[in-house]
Amino acid sequence: QVQLQQWGAGLLRPSETLSLTCAVYGGSLSGYYWSWIRQTPGKGLEWIGEINHRRNATYNPSLKSRVTISVDTSKNQFSLKLSSVTAADSAVFYCARIVGNSLGDWFDPWGQGTLVTVSS
Amino acid sequence: DIQMTQSPPSLSASVRDRVTITCRASQNIRSSLNWYQQKPGKAPKLLIYAASSLQSGVPSRFSGSGSATDFTLTISSLQPEDFATYYCQQSYTSPLTFGGGTKVEIK
């Protein structure tokens, strides 16, 4: 059974770069897309982007200019970088695997979540 | 972006009640609709995918229906562990988007 474990800095200053990593246990990166999602009380759940083991990435246009998602196949991990953060980027960030068929895609499983706070 | 609108935003119900949550998409998304359950401090958990397919391990009291723009999540007999927030999510087109959630509370 695939499990995701994520980590990264939880407190950032404005203008810094958020950096989170998600490790995949019990399965390989191959054959799936891997995603980052964030959650705030105000905007709810927001899909940030996704990547596969071939490094093909797609981003939410709302964040595209500041987001980079990368993959390290040797470590079975994928990572998120979000640059120039502001208080509006404070959120709980989740990593998740994307599973799908001809009818669509869904997120399963999810990482445990990382609370990131941006404050001066 | 496709907007997902859930109703109601919250509801109060009793154990053994039948509960129905609706999700409306701003355009036709065929059957590309998923449902998640989230409890406080935890990550969302997949319940239903492709509008009506029950995820492995999820109790059969949960069911999903609908297509195109209108979808429903039904809990046939609410159990104490079902008090949580429920979200719909469309995967018809990028960017993937979620509904605002429905909080199911104890009456």
Coordinates of all heavy atoms in Angstrom, one line a residue, chain A residues 35 37 39 44-47 50 58-62 94 98 101-108 110-113, chain B residues 1 29 31-34 36 38 41-46 49-50 55 87 89-91 94-99:
Chain A
S35 N 1.1 15.0 -7.2 CA 0.5 16.3 -7.2 C 0.8 17.0 -5.8 O 1.0 16.4 -4.8 CB -1.0 16.2 -7.4 OG -1.6 17.5 -7.6
I37 N -1.3 20.0 -3.5 CA -2.6 20.7 -3.2 C -2.4 21.5 -1.9 O -1.7 21.0 -1.0 CB -3.7 19.6 -3.0 CG1 -3.8 18.8 -4.3 CG2 -5.0 20.3 -2.7 CD1 -4.3 17.4 -4.0
Q39 N -4.5 24.0 1.1 CA -5.8 24.3 1.7 C -5.8 25.4 2.7 O -4.9 25.5 3.6 CB -6.3 23.0 2.5 CG -7.7 23.2 3.0 CD -8.2 21.8 3.6 OE1 -7.5 21.0 4.1 NE2 -9.6 21.6 3.5
G44 N -10.2 27.4 0.4 CA -10.5 26.0 0.4 C -9.3 25.2 -0.2 O -8.2 25.6 -0.1
L45 N -9.7 24.1 -0.9 CA -8.6 23.2 -1.5 C -8.3 23.8 -2.9 O -9.2 24.0 -3.7 CB -9.2 21.8 -1.6 CG -9.3 21.1 -0.3 CD1 -10.3 19.9 -0.4 CD2 -7.9 20.6 0.2
E46 N -7.0 23.9 -3.2 CA -6.5 24.4 -4.4 C -5.4 23.5 -5.0 O -4.4 23.3 -4.3 CB -6.0 25.8 -4.3 CG -5.4 26.5 -5.5 CD -4.9 27.9 -5.3 OE1 -4.5 28.2 -4.2 OE2 -5.0 28.7 -6.2
W47 N -5.6 23.0 -6.2 CA -4.6 22.2 -6.9 C -3.5 23.1 -7.4 O -3.7 24.1 -8.0 CB -5.3 21.5 -8.0 CG -4.3 20.7 -8.9 CD1 -3.7 19.5 -8.7 CD2 -3.9 21.1 -10.2 NE1 -2.9 19.2 -9.7 CE2 -3.0 20.1 -10.7 CE3 -4.2 22.2 -11.1 CZ2 -2.5 20.1 -12.0 CZ3 -3.6 22.2 -12.3 CH2 -2.8 21.2 -12.8
E50 N 1.2 19.1 -10.9 CA 1.5 17.7 -10.9 C 2.7 17.4 -11.8 O 3.1 18.2 -12.6 CB 0.3 16.9 -11.4 CG -0.1 17.3 -12.8 CD -1.4 16.7 -13.3 OE1 -2.3 16.7 -12.5 OE2 -1.4 16.1 -14.4
T58 N 2.7 19.9 -15.0 CA 1.6 20.8 -15.3 C 1.3 21.6 -14.1 O 1.2 21.1 -13.0 CB 0.4 20.1 -15.8 OG1 0.7 19.3 -16.9 CG2 -0.7 21.1 -16.2
Y59 N 1.0 22.9 -14.2 CA 0.8 23.8 -13.1 C -0.5 24.5 -13.2 O -1.0 24.8 -14.3 CB 1.9 24.8 -12.9 CG 3.3 24.2 -12.8 CD1 4.3 24.6 -13.7 CD2 3.6 23.4 -11.8 CE1 5.6 24.0 -13.6 CE2 4.9 22.8 -11.6 CZ 5.9 23.1 -12.5 OH 7.1 22.6 -12.4
N60 N -1.1 24.9 -12.1 CA -2.3 25.8 -12.0 C -1.8 27.1 -12.6 O -0.9 27.7 -12.0 CB -2.8 25.9 -10.6 CG -4.2 26.5 -10.6 OD1 -4.5 27.4 -11.3 ND2 -5.0 26.0 -9.7
P61 N -2.5 27.6 -13.6 CA -2.2 29.0 -14.1 C -2.1 30.1 -13.1 O -1.3 31.0 -13.2 CB -3.3 29.2 -15.1 CG -3.7 27.9 -15.6 CD -3.6 27.0 -14.3
S62 N -2.9 29.9 -12.0 CA -2.9 30.9 -11.0 C -1.6 31.0 -10.2 O -1.3 32.1 -9.6 CB -4.1 30.7 -10.0 OG -3.8 29.5 -9.2
Y94 N -0.5 19.7 0.9 CA -0.6 18.2 0.8 C 0.1 17.7 -0.4 O -0.1 18.4 -1.5 CB -2.0 17.7 0.8 CG -2.8 18.0 2.1 CD1 -3.7 19.1 2.1 CD2 -2.8 17.1 3.2 CE1 -4.5 19.3 3.3 CE2 -3.5 17.4 4.3 CZ -4.4 18.4 4.3 OH -5.1 18.7 5.5
I98 N -1.9 10.9 -8.1 CA -3.1 10.9 -9.0 C -3.3 9.6 -9.6 O -2.4 9.0 -10.2 CB -2.9 12.0 -10.0 CG1 -2.8 13.4 -9.4 CG2 -4.0 12.0 -11.0 CD1 -2.5 14.5 -10.4
N101 N -8.6 6.7 -14.7 CA -9.0 5.9 -15.8 C -9.6 6.7 -16.9 O -9.5 8.0 -16.8 CB -9.9 4.7 -15.3 CG -11.2 5.3 -14.7 OD1 -11.6 6.4 -15.0 ND2 -11.9 4.4 -13.9
S102 N -10.3 6.1 -17.8 CA -10.9 6.9 -18.9 C -12.0 7.9 -18.4 O -12.3 8.8 -19.2 CB -11.5 5.9 -19.9 OG -12.6 5.2 -19.3
L103 N -12.5 7.7 -17.2 CA -13.5 8.6 -16.7 C -13.0 9.8 -15.9 O -13.7 10.7 -15.6 CB -14.5 7.8 -15.8 CG -15.3 6.7 -16.6 CD1 -16.2 6.0 -15.6 CD2 -16.1 7.3 -17.7
G104 N -11.7 9.8 -15.7 CA -11.1 10.9 -14.9 C -10.0 10.5 -14.0 O -9.5 9.4 -14.0
D105 N -9.6 11.5 -13.2 CA -8.5 11.3 -12.3 C -8.9 11.6 -10.8 O -9.8 12.5 -10.7 CB -7.3 12.2 -12.7 CG -6.8 11.9 -14.1 OD1 -6.7 10.7 -14.4 OD2 -6.6 12.9 -14.8
W106 N -8.2 11.0 -9.9 CA -8.5 11.3 -8.5 C -7.3 11.3 -7.6 O -6.3 10.7 -8.0 CB -9.6 10.4 -7.9 CG -9.4 9.0 -8.2 CD1 -8.8 8.0 -7.4 CD2 -9.8 8.2 -9.4 NE1 -8.8 6.8 -8.0 CE2 -9.4 6.9 -9.2 CE3 -10.5 8.6 -10.5 CZ2 -9.7 5.9 -10.2 CZ3 -10.8 7.6 -11.5 CH2 -10.3 6.3 -11.3
F107 N -7.3 11.9 -6.4 CA -6.2 11.9 -5.6 C -6.3 10.8 -4.5 O -7.2 10.8 -3.7 CB -6.1 13.3 -4.9 CG -6.0 14.5 -5.8 CD1 -7.1 15.3 -6.0 CD2 -4.8 14.7 -6.5 CE1 -7.0 16.4 -6.9 CE2 -4.8 15.8 -7.3 CZ -5.9 16.7 -7.5
D108 N -5.3 9.9 -4.5 CA -5.3 8.8 -3.5 C -4.0 8.1 -3.6 O -3.7 7.6 -4.7 CB -6.5 7.9 -3.8 CG -6.5 6.7 -2.8 OD1 -6.7 7.0 -1.6 OD2 -6.2 5.6 -3.1
W110 N -3.1 10.5 0.1 CA -2.6 11.9 0.4 C -1.5 11.8 1.4 O -1.5 10.9 2.3 CB -3.7 12.8 0.9 CG -4.8 13.1 0.0 CD1 -5.6 12.1 -0.6 CD2 -5.3 14.3 -0.4 NE1 -6.6 12.8 -1.4 CE2 -6.4 14.1 -1.2 CE3 -5.0 15.7 -0.1 CZ2 -7.2 15.2 -1.8 CZ3 -5.7 16.7 -0.6 CH2 -6.8 16.5 -1.5
G111 N -0.6 12.8 1.4 CA 0.3 12.9 2.6 C -0.4 13.5 3.8 O -1.6 13.8 3.7
Q112 N 0.4 13.6 4.9 CA -0.3 14.0 6.1 C -0.5 15.5 6.2 O -1.3 15.9 7.1 CB 0.6 13.5 7.3 CG 1.8 14.4 7.6 CD 3.1 14.1 6.8 OE1 2.9 13.4 5.7 NE2 4.2 14.5 7.2
G113 N 0.1 16.2 5.3 CA -0.1 17.7 5.4 C 1.0 18.4 6.1 O 1.5 17.9 7.1
Chain B
D1 N -11.7 28.4 -15.6 CA -11.7 27.3 -14.6 C -13.2 26.8 -14.4 O -14.1 27.6 -14.4 CB -11.1 27.7 -13.3 CG -9.7 28.1 -13.4 OD1 -9.1 28.2 -14.5 OD2 -9.1 28.4 -12.3
I29 N -19.1 18.1 -17.0 CA -17.9 17.4 -16.7 C -18.1 15.9 -16.8 O -17.3 15.1 -16.3 CB -17.4 17.8 -15.3 CG1 -18.4 17.4 -14.2 CG2 -17.0 19.2 -15.2 CD1 -17.8 17.5 -12.8
S31 N -18.6 12.4 -16.2 CA -18.6 11.7 -14.9 C -17.3 11.9 -14.2 O -17.0 11.1 -13.3 CB -18.8 10.2 -15.2 OG -20.1 9.9 -15.7
S32 N -16.6 12.9 -14.5 CA -15.3 13.2 -13.9 C -15.4 13.9 -12.6 O -14.9 15.0 -12.4 CB -14.4 13.9 -14.9 OG -14.2 13.2 -16.1
L33 N -16.0 13.2 -11.6 CA -16.3 13.9 -10.3 C -16.0 12.9 -9.2 O -16.4 11.7 -9.3 CB -17.8 14.3 -10.3 CG -18.4 15.1 -9.2 CD1 -18.6 14.4 -7.9 CD2 -17.5 16.4 -8.9
N34 N -15.3 13.4 -8.2 CA -14.8 12.6 -7.1 C -15.3 13.3 -5.8 O -15.5 14.5 -5.7 CB -13.3 12.5 -7.1 CG -12.8 12.1 -8.4 OD1 -13.2 11.1 -9.0 ND2 -11.9 12.9 -9.0
Y36 N -14.5 13.4 -1.5 CA -13.6 13.1 -0.4 C -14.2 13.5 1.0 O -15.1 14.3 1.0 CB -12.3 14.0 -0.6 CG -11.6 13.8 -1.9 CD1 -12.0 14.5 -3.0 CD2 -10.6 12.9 -2.0 CE1 -11.4 14.3 -4.2 CE2 -9.9 12.7 -3.2 CZ -10.3 13.4 -4.3 OH -9.7 13.2 -5.5
Q38 N -13.1 14.7 4.9 CA -12.0 15.2 5.7 C -12.4 15.4 7.1 O -13.4 16.1 7.4 CB -11.4 16.5 5.1 CG -10.2 17.0 5.8 CD -9.6 18.3 5.2 OE1 -10.4 19.2 4.7 NE2 -8.3 18.4 5.2
G41 N -7.8 18.2 11.2 CA -6.4 17.9 11.3 C -5.9 16.8 10.4 O -4.7 16.4 10.6
K42 N -6.8 16.2 9.6 CA -6.4 15.1 8.7 C -6.5 15.5 7.2 O -7.1 16.4 6.9 CB -7.3 13.9 9.0 CG -7.2 13.4 10.4 CD -5.9 12.8 10.7 CE -5.9 12.2 12.1 NZ -4.5 11.6 12.5
A43 N -5.8 14.7 6.4 CA -5.9 14.9 5.0 C -7.2 14.4 4.5 O -7.8 13.5 5.1 CB -4.7 14.2 4.3
P44 N -7.7 14.9 3.4 CA -8.9 14.3 2.7 C -8.7 12.9 2.4 O -7.5 12.4 2.1 CB -9.1 15.2 1.5 CG -8.4 16.5 1.8 CD -7.2 16.1 2.7
K45 N -9.8 12.1 2.4 CA -9.8 10.7 2.1 C -10.7 10.5 0.9 O -11.9 10.9 1.0 CB -10.2 9.9 3.3 CG -10.4 8.4 3.1 CD -11.0 7.8 4.3 CE -11.5 6.4 4.0 NZ -12.3 5.8 5.1
L46 N -10.3 9.7 -0.1 CA -11.2 9.4 -1.2 C -12.3 8.5 -0.8 O -12.1 7.4 -0.3 CB -10.3 8.8 -2.3 CG -11.1 8.4 -3.6 CD1 -11.5 9.6 -4.4 CD2 -10.2 7.5 -4.5
Y49 N -15.1 7.8 -6.7 CA -14.4 8.3 -7.9 C -15.3 8.1 -9.1 O -16.2 7.2 -9.1 CB -13.0 7.7 -8.0 CG -13.0 6.2 -8.2 CD1 -13.0 5.7 -9.5 CD2 -12.9 5.4 -7.1 CE1 -13.0 4.3 -9.7 CE2 -12.9 4.0 -7.3 CZ -12.9 3.5 -8.5 OH -12.9 2.1 -8.7
A50 N -15.0 8.9 -10.1 CA -15.8 8.7 -11.4 C -17.3 8.8 -11.1 O -18.1 8.0 -11.7 CB -15.4 7.5 -12.1
Q55 N -14.7 3.7 -3.6 CA -13.3 3.4 -3.3 C -13.2 2.2 -2.4 O -14.0 2.0 -1.5 CB -12.5 4.6 -2.7 CG -11.1 4.3 -2.2 CD -10.1 4.0 -3.3 OE1 -10.5 3.8 -4.5 NE2 -8.9 4.0 -3.0
Y87 N -16.0 17.0 0.3 CA -15.6 17.9 -0.8 C -15.8 17.1 -2.1 O -15.5 15.9 -2.2 CB -14.1 18.3 -0.7 CG -13.8 19.2 0.4 CD1 -13.3 18.6 1.6 CD2 -13.9 20.5 0.3 CE1 -13.0 19.4 2.7 CE2 -13.6 21.4 1.4 CZ -13.1 20.8 2.6 OH -12.8 21.6 3.6
Q89 N -14.7 17.2 -6.3 CA -13.6 17.6 -7.1 C -13.8 17.1 -8.5 O -14.1 16.0 -8.8 CB -12.3 17.0 -6.5 CG -11.0 17.2 -7.4 CD -10.5 16.0 -8.0 OE1 -10.5 14.9 -7.4 NE2 -10.0 16.1 -9.2
Q90 N -13.6 18.0 -9.5 CA -13.7 17.7 -10.9 C -12.3 17.4 -11.5 O -11.3 18.1 -11.2 CB -14.5 18.7 -11.7 CG -13.8 20.1 -11.9 CD -12.8 20.1 -13.0 OE1 -12.8 19.2 -13.9 NE2 -11.9 21.1 -12.9
S91 N -12.3 16.4 -12.4 CA -11.0 16.1 -13.1 C -11.2 16.1 -14.6 O -10.5 15.6 -15.4 CB -10.5 14.8 -12.6 OG -11.4 13.7 -13.0
S94 N -8.1 20.6 -16.7 CA -7.2 21.4 -15.9 C -7.5 22.9 -15.9 O -7.9 23.4 -17.0 CB -5.8 21.1 -16.4 OG -4.8 21.7 -15.5
P95 N -7.4 23.6 -14.8 CA -6.9 23.1 -13.5 C -8.0 22.3 -12.8 O -9.2 22.7 -12.8 CB -6.6 24.4 -12.8 CG -7.5 25.4 -13.4 CD -7.7 25.0 -14.8
L96 N -7.6 21.3 -12.1 CA -8.5 20.5 -11.3 C -9.0 21.4 -10.2 O -8.3 22.2 -9.6 CB -7.7 19.3 -10.7 CG -7.0 18.4 -11.7 CD1 -6.3 17.3 -11.0 CD2 -7.9 17.9 -12.8
T97 N -10.3 21.3 -9.9 CA -10.9 22.2 -8.9 C -11.8 21.4 -8.0 O -12.4 20.4 -8.3 CB -11.7 23.3 -9.6 OG1 -12.6 22.7 -10.6 CG2 -10.8 24.3 -10.3
F98 N -12.0 22.0 -6.8 CA -12.7 21.4 -5.7 C -13.9 22.3 -5.4 O -13.9 23.5 -5.6 CB -11.9 21.4 -4.4 CG -10.7 20.4 -4.5 CD1 -9.5 20.7 -5.1 CD2 -10.9 19.1 -4.0 CE1 -8.5 19.9 -5.1 CE2 -9.8 18.2 -4.0 CZ -8.6 18.6 -4.6
G99 N -15.0 21.7 -4.8 CA -16.1 22.4 -4.2 C -15.6 23.0 -2.9 O -14.6 22.7 -2.3

